[in-house]
Amino acid sequence: MSTATPSADNGNGVMTLENLAKFPEGQKVYSCMQCGTCAATCPYGDDLAFPPRAIITMLEAGLIEEVFNNPGLLNCVTCYACMAKCPRGIKLTEVLLPLVKEQVFTHLKEVPAELQKALENTMRYGNPMGESPRKRALWAKSSPVPVPVIAEIKRAVDVLWFVECYPAYHPRGHDGNRATAKLFKALGIDFAILGNEEKCAGECVRMAGETGLFEMLTDANIKLMRKYKFNRIVTGGAHAYDALKHKYPAAGGDFEVHHTTPFFAQHLAQLKPKLKKKLDYTVTYHDACALGRHNGFYEEPRALLQAIPGVKLVEMNHSGVNSICCGGGGGMWLDTYYAEKGCERLSERRVKEALDTGANVLAVSCPYEISRFEDALKVAGGEKRMVVRDVVELLAEALED
Amino acid sequence: MDILVLMKVVPDVVEELEVGPDGKSLDTSFLRTIINERDDHALEQALLLKDKHGGKVTLLTLDAPDIDDVLFTALAKGADRAVKICGVESVQSTQTAVKLFGETIAKTPGLLPVDLILTGVSAIDDLDGLMAAPIAQQLGWAYTGVVTQVALADKTATVIKEFAGGVRGEYEVPTPAVLGIQAAEKPPRYVPVAKVRAAMKSMTIETVDAPAVEAATTVEVQQMAKPQVTGHAEMIEGSPEEVADKICELLAKRGLI
Ligand code: SF4
Ligand code: SF4
């Protein structure tokens, strides 16, 4: 079974569903008191077939094969809500669900077409969109701030910027990239990117249950990054951050890693005097699952937004730990599959809440969310009332020109 | 029911193609190859038939960079045997590929007999679909192409062929036969990387030396060039009124209003 589980080897080998009890965090699974909070918190609770509570029952009853043979767990978008709410503190999304999801994925009679294409593309081209790897760094030409490639400058840098696939290829991602470059420059940070050599960090692949492919990507990226000298990695990808922070170390890639939002928040004292342009926006912030619930960055994005002159921050009904997943993450390539199953699109549920706040800007910190929410706003008829902006885009806009 | 699937690689058009210094061929320094998509469908069709009728599926390919990954993936999907023809350039003219496959099938022990040989009906470097028919001719077997469904019975295959305009025809072909596959009945299946890795550990790829064949010279490429850009889109910018004025002006200039 998986070698990509979050457990450190404690002398019992790699954690599997069979030897769970040999690991402290695995043993905790058996402390479940069947309260059902997990199922009630889950945004797709009704569609899972086996919510975490039921998975644990089946595991204890020796009937886990039945869970493997049901595609229901494809509806787990890996939002960390059940884990955040479990009164027993069971690491559901971190420990139990990945082990089960991997088996569900392997047992699938047919992989949903959109997901299959994304996996095949990631395997061949290193990005789920199936774009040429030779064009991965092409966006940098459009950046007014020069963006050096580490292999070309042939020297150590302070920050290695892990760009990730969506920002590298998606036009709306390029906007965020140009903003990030501008902010690095404003702070006098010495940075470089990996360029065309970078591959998908792989977190969405892992969350879909394709752990073998995740390991391939992890190995390739770690081998690549070890070639270069840098102090720390900064990435704008919320899931790339999650993978680099929590999964790469076990595979031998123990780097200091930051996400752009908390990274710039750390530099707020230095940044704030430079945020001179007044932005008359009412902003609501969507907490990305990977940054908020999984890593506790609730204050950082808000501190940055409030540092922008003119910005008025308003909160959605569900925010912070109660934030509702955009449906990306573990469900990134399953929109068509969910639609065919008749499930509500989570991004649409989320933008309706955002629109209800009366804000005219929906601020995000995960590159997937931009296109997901922009699409959802069109469906909800709110695209004239609200725009979606990465926090870095707003910061860069507020910088004095 | 045993099936032999012929697979070859073609230039991957996701990577930008460059014309080589001779002006007649692709620049191979940037070239990355990918399995011909229709050959992948031929493999899927063979696996679907195996799922239904049992039997063995054997793959025969020309050697190419990364071909082992393709073959192990096919083995992990359920193929039984993989053979690659070594000592050849990965991208061949169709005529040469026909000779290489034909000779190898005839001379390598254990590849025949089979009930069917399946291969892609065409490829991006063989739009006329000249692979399968000559191989059938060489073997003295029946051939039919543009196949999208295959049902096997004793000594016959019933196939659906696709024609232009959505017209389909049902044909009965005596087996053994060579079929050119347009599309499998289902999209090619996905196999998790973990299973491919397991196949790499438990299975092997056989190799045979390429037979000596004379390079085919039926068609000579005179020149190869990138398409010329002949027109471009112009974005009209400005306020709605300004844009409307500009559109009117353009239409008037071209005599349309
Ligand atoms: S929330 Fe925790 S304790 Fe309650 S049923 Fe779910 S897993 Fe068990
Ligand atoms: S991680 Fe989120 S989607 Fe998955 S089971 Fe838990 S609450 Fe549901």
Side-chain angles (χ1 to χ4, degrees):
Chain A
M1 248 176 245
S2 169
T3 51
T5 49
S7 63
D9 191 332
N10 69 351
N12 289 313
V14 174
M15 195 201 292
T16 66
L17 286 167
E18 289 83 42
N19 70 7
L20 265 190
K22 292 187 180 153
F23 300 80
E25 67 270 42
Q27 208 167 35
K28 252 195 173 173
V29 168
Y30 296 101
S31 72
C32 167
M33 57 178 171
Q34 295 290 315
C35 67
T37 309
C38 47
T41 323
C42 178
Y44 275 146
D46 294 338
D47 302 291
L48 287 181
F50 296 95
R53 181 192 64 75
I55 292 175
I56 298 173
T57 315
M58 298 299 270
L59 187 66
E60 285 175 328
L63 297 170
I64 194 72
E65 276 288 327
E66 223 175 286
V67 179
F68 297 165
N69 285 309
N70 190 310
L73 204 61
L74 284 187
N75 270 76
C76 168
V77 288
T78 323
C79 73
Y80 295 91
C82 52
M83 183 169 119
K85 292 294 165 73
C86 173
R88 288 283 200 229
I90 302 173
K91 295 228 177 330
L92 295 167
T93 324
E94 250 176 27
V95 173
L96 179 68
L97 295 174
L99 288 172
V100 183
K101 187 86 162 276
E102 181 185 19
Q103 292 302 314
V104 170
F105 179 79
T106 319
H107 282 69
L108 283 179
K109 297 256 168 345
E110 256 170 59
V111 177
E114 197 183 348
L115 175 62
Q116 173 164 344
K117 192 83 218 147
L119 295 173
E120 286 168 348
N121 282 338
T122 307
M123 173 127 53
R124 181 164 178 89
Y125 304 110
N127 69 81
M129 296 93 129
E131 295 285 345
S132 164
R134 280 165 54 206
K135 293 180 184 157
R136 195 170 178 103
L138 208 59
W139 67 269
K141 288 207 170 77
S142 72
S143 170
V145 172
V147 178
V149 175
I150 194 158
E152 286 164 15
I153 56 173
K154 296 190 178 70
R155 63 170 176 82
V157 291
D158 176 15
V159 164
L160 181 70
W161 176 10
F162 194 95
V163 177
E164 187 63 321
C165 308
Y166 245 58
Y169 293 108
H170 197 287
R172 280 297 280 116
H174 299 170
D175 295 333
N177 292 349
R178 287 185 286 264
T180 301
K182 219 172 143 190
L183 291 163
F184 280 148
K185 184 172 176 237
L187 291 168
I189 285 164
D190 173 37
F191 71 95
I193 60 170
L194 287 163
N196 292 342
E197 292 182 296
E198 182 188 282
K199 284 191 193 319
C200 176
E203 182 67 355
C204 285
V205 165
R206 186 189 72 80
M207 290 186 287
E210 183 30 312
T211 30
L213 180 54
F214 177 69
E215 286 161 21
M216 270 174 69
L217 296 164
T218 313
D219 291 348
N221 278 325
I222 291 174
K223 203 169 141 204
L224 173 66
M225 291 191 284
R226 284 225 190 104
K227 286 199 323 205
Y228 304 114
K229 286 208 162 47
F230 53 89
N231 297 329
R232 45 200 174 157
I233 299 171
V234 174
T235 180
H239 298 288
Y241 170 79
D242 221 13
L244 287 162
K245 174 91 188 163
H246 298 286
K247 298 285 178 283
Y248 276 53
D254 209 350
F255 309 109
E256 180 185 331
V257 52
H258 302 266
H259 180 267
T260 40
T261 306
F263 180 79
F264 290 126
Q266 272 176 24
H267 293 78
L268 191 53
Q270 206 186 331
L271 196 58
K272 197 164 177 181
K274 298 179 197 284
L275 302 174
K276 290 214 174 114
K277 204 151 129 204
K278 194 165 175 238
L279 305 182
D280 274 321
Y281 301 148
T282 306
V283 180
T284 189
Y285 176 73
H286 164 77
D287 289 277
C289 309
L291 289 181
R293 273 189 294 267
H294 197 212
N295 289 292
F297 297 125
Y298 298 118
E299 293 311 317
E300 292 79 354
R302 290 175 172 82
L304 287 171
L305 292 168
Q306 273 163 331
I308 301 172
V311 162
K312 186 177 159 231
L313 189 63
V314 292
E315 292 293 345
M316 284 183 259
N317 247 346
H318 294 87
S319 72
V321 71
N322 297 321
S323 171
I324 297 173
C325 179
C326 75
M332 194 53 203
W333 311 106
L334 290 166
D335 282 317
T336 318
Y337 171 78
Y338 296 154
E340 280 165 5
K341 270 184 83 175
C343 308
E344 185 193 8
R345 261 181 88 184
L346 296 181
S347 49
E348 283 167 36
R349 194 195 290 184
R350 192 60 174 152
V351 295
K352 280 179 203 150
E353 271 206 3
L355 287 166
D356 283 346
T357 62
N360 51 16
V361 176
L362 173 56
V364 299
S365 288
C366 167
Y368 291 142
E369 285 159 1
I370 299 185
S371 48
R372 297 189 74 78
F373 286 149
E374 285 180 349
D375 285 351
L377 275 171
K378 280 178 203 142
V379 177
E383 83 264 40
K384 291 220 166 69
R385 279 192 280 155
M386 177 172 268
V387 294
V388 188
R389 291 276 180 275
D390 196 297
V391 171
V392 291
E393 287 180 79
L394 294 170
L395 290 171
E397 193 183 339
L399 282 179
E400 213 185 15
D401 286 325
Chain B
M1 298 282 180
D2 293 340
I3 302 172
L4 179 64
V5 181
L6 309 181
M7 296 178 100
K8 65 175 193 122
V9 294
V10 293
D12 185 348
V13 291
V14 166
E15 310 289 347
E16 223 140 276
L17 300 180
E18 303 287 344
V19 177
D22 66 354
K24 290 181 178 185
S25 60
L26 291 174
D27 186 341
T28 48
S29 51
F30 287 118
L31 199 68
R32 205 177 158 203
T33 54
I34 187 167
I35 203 73
N36 174 28
E37 197 185 343
R38 296 203 199 287
D39 292 349
D40 209 20
H41 278 264
L43 167 66
E44 182 59 33
Q45 189 58 54
L47 295 172
L48 289 171
L49 288 168
K50 181 187 165 179
D51 291 346
K52 223 188 234 162
H53 303 285
K56 268 176 66 177
V57 171
T58 303
L59 292 157
L60 183 64
T61 65
L62 301 176
D63 197 7
D66 303 330
I67 199 74
D68 287 6
D69 291 344
V70 174
L71 292 175
F72 280 121
T73 305
L75 290 169
K77 285 181 181 179
D80 300 273
R81 187 177 166 206
V83 184
K84 64 176 176 184
I85 304 171
C86 292
V88 284
E89 294 277 322
S90 55
V91 178
Q92 294 285 345
S93 76
T94 308
Q95 288 84 354
T96 311
V98 165
K99 287 187 179 176
L100 287 165
F101 277 122
E103 293 264 317
T104 308
I105 294 169
K107 290 195 177 141
T108 310
L111 287 180
L112 295 181
V114 289
D115 300 279
L116 287 177
I117 292 180
L118 303 187
T119 191
V121 69
S122 59
I124 54 162
D125 61 355
D126 173 27
L127 291 177
D128 295 332
L130 297 176
M131 247 290 282
I135 288 176
Q137 191 189 29
Q138 210 171 307
L139 293 164
W141 294 6
Y143 164 77
T144 190
V146 210
V147 170
T148 57
Q149 267 181 47
V150 187
L152 269 177
D154 194 30
K155 298 212 165 26
T156 54
T158 308
V159 304
I160 303 284
K161 267 170 80 88
E162 229 170 52
F163 296 93
V167 179
R168 290 141 51 99
E170 190 180 292
Y171 291 79
E172 219 173 69
V173 190
T175 56
V178 180
L179 303 181
I181 300 292
Q182 166 88 0
E185 284 156 42
K186 280 184 175 179
R189 62 194 71 187
Y190 185 81
V191 61
V193 169
K195 286 191 184 167
V196 179
R197 285 201 179 144
M200 283 175 173
K201 281 195 193 121
S202 64
M203 300 179 89
T204 48
I205 294 169
E206 297 165 46
T207 55
V208 291
D209 288 333
V213 296
E214 267 175 52
T217 50
T218 44
V219 182
E220 194 194 334
V221 177
Q222 303 233 317
Q223 201 202 342
M224 193 181 275
K226 286 202 168 187
Q228 300 268 318
V229 180
T230 51
H232 64 277
E234 189 188 332
M235 296 306 285
I236 303 174
E237 284 171 17
S239 69
E241 290 76 22
E242 287 165 1
V243 172
D245 284 347
K246 280 183 202 157
I247 291 175
C248 290
E249 199 181 299
L250 278 171
L251 292 176
K253 225 202 285 179
R254 283 169 172 69
L256 294 166
I257 49 170

